[in-house]
Amino acid sequence: MSDRHERERAAWVLARAGHRPAARRRGERLMASARRHERYESGAGDMAVAEVTTRNVFHRSVAREDGVLNKLGWLIWTVTWMFWVAVLVGPALLAGKALYGLGALAARRLGPLRSWPYLVLALVLAGVLAGAWFRWPPEGWDTVVRSYACAQVVLAPVRAAWLVRAWGWPAVKAAPSGTGAVAPVVVGAPVQEEPSPVAEVVRVEIAPVLVGTGQKEEEAVR
């Protein structure tokens, strides 16, 4: 689909991935999705080959070394840090991904996604929550609960802003206003014809020719 700009975004992400496997995987996924949509629109069908070669973060973290014991140790380490990430910022990660998904759905009408609206939303939420904190100060365990909730609310749009850049939306340039717009055509509507220019009448005055008398008249008769 052309409105998703997947090929442009994939090229932008892959050009800046460097040695980061997570960024390279995102670029490969975008490129694979772009090719899949192109095949679908052309009626060529889907291919059975896998186009994403970089493994996900779980596989990369576990399969760092060969050997059963090494992989088992890295498996325990991976599950541990993923568990604590889910506990500490899991709601913010999910809410940020949801905000990003809503923005991606609205990109067809509102234009390409940008990070700054999410960052502005994060600042506004932080200000509102700070005002509510000083207006109704927490006590006891309520402090921990409210701190955790406020952190999730503020980090969610920050996460969405990061996803906008991570998935290559800065590569999509917004169309300039006044260009590329197609006026709607109403069937059966009267067509307004432009008035034809009226030709101006140009008057040419010819000065009278006087024929002299005498010799000039005789020469004129001859």
Side-chain angles (χ1 to χ4, degrees), residues 205-211:
E205 298 182 357
I206 302 176
V209 179
L210 300 177
V211 181

Side-chain angles (χ1 to χ4, degrees), residues 127-152:
V128 172
L129 293 175
W133 185 283
F134 289 105
R135 179 65 178 82
W136 299 283
E139 297 179 359
W141 283 99
D142 188 33
T143 304
V144 178
V145 176
R146 288 179 60 177
S147 300
Y148 181 82
C150 292
Q152 306 305 313

Side-chain angles (χ1 to χ4, degrees), residues 37-201:
H37 283 109
E38 290 175 358
R39 290 194 298 267
Y40 176 78
E41 292 177 356
S42 61
D46 201 0
M47 297 177 63
V49 253
E51 298 183 0
V52 180
T53 58
T54 305
R55 302 301 183 99
N56 56 35
V57 61
F58 182 83
H59 186 277
R60 294 196 310 268
S61 182
V62 173
R64 299 186 184 187
E65 297 177 327
D66 296 331
V68 178
L69 294 180
N70 291 332
K71 290 185 177 180
L72 181 60
W74 285 116
L75 175 62
I76 297 175
W77 163 254
T78 303
V79 172
T80 301
W81 73 259
M82 283 189 170
F83 170 78
W84 284 109
V85 167
V87 170
L88 295 177
V89 292
L93 297 180
L94 293 177
K97 195 169 185 179
L99 289 175
Y100 170 78
L102 292 176
L105 291 177
R108 181 180 300 180
R109 293 185 178 183
L110 302 180
L113 286 180
R114 293 294 180 259
S115 298
W116 66 265
Y118 293 110
L119 296 178
V120 171
L121 177 60
L123 291 176
V124 171
L125 291 175
V128 172
L129 293 175
W133 185 283
F134 289 105
R135 179 65 178 82
W136 299 283
E139 297 179 359
W141 283 99
D142 188 33
T143 304
V144 178
V145 176
R146 288 179 60 177
S147 300
Y148 181 82
C150 292
Q152 306 305 313
V153 172
V154 175
L155 289 177
V158 175
R159 170 69 174 178
W162 180 86
L163 288 175
V164 170
R165 184 172 182 83
W167 286 98
W169 282 100
V172 183
K173 304 298 181 182
S177 59
T179 59
V182 180
V185 179
V186 181
V187 180
V191 180
Q192 297 181 357
E193 299 181 355
E194 296 182 357
S196 58
V198 180
E200 297 182 359
V201 179

